[in-house]
Amino acid sequence: SVEVQNGGTVEESGVVVVVTLEDEEVRETLPSIPPGGTAEARLALGAVPEAGTEVSLEVLGEPVAGEAITDDNEFTYTVVFG
C-alpha cells in the first residue's frame, strides 16, 4: 500500500494513484482525500521480486482537475523485498 497526501486546501475526489514496479503498472482510484489529509491506496502486485532484490518503485498521483502544482505528484523509491 502507499499513502497519498492532499497538500491543497480543498477536498480532492477521484484521485488516480499509479504504482510501477519493474514492468508492472497497477492503478487505484481513491474516492476522496480531505484538504491536508491522506488516503491509503492498496495496490496488489502480480509478481514480487525475489527476497533481497533491489528495485525501483515509482508512485504517481495523476493530476486532478484544476491542479496547478504537479511537481510533487511523482516519486521514485529504491526498495528491497524481504
Side-chain angles (χ1 to χ4, degrees):
S1 68
V2 295
E3 190 171 271
V4 180
Q5 181 177 19
N6 175 359
T9 57
V10 297
E11 182 172 331
E12 299 295 352
S13 59
V15 178
V16 177
V17 178
V18 182
V19 172
T20 305
L21 179 69
E22 296 184 314
D23 293 332
E24 182 180 4
E25 180 180 288
V26 290
R27 300 170 167 265
E28 180 179 338
T29 301
L30 299 172
S32 65
I33 307 174
T38 61
E40 184 178 9
R42 294 178 174 259
L43 303 128
L45 297 169
V48 178
E50 289 184 36
T53 303
E54 185 176 288
V55 295
S56 290
L57 177 75
E58 297 174 17
V59 179
L60 168 69
E62 291 188 348
V64 294
E67 184 173 5
I69 300 171
T70 60
D71 58 340
D72 62 349
N73 286 21
E74 186 172 0
F75 295 92
T76 300
Y77 303 95
T78 299
V79 297
V80 178
F81 284 79

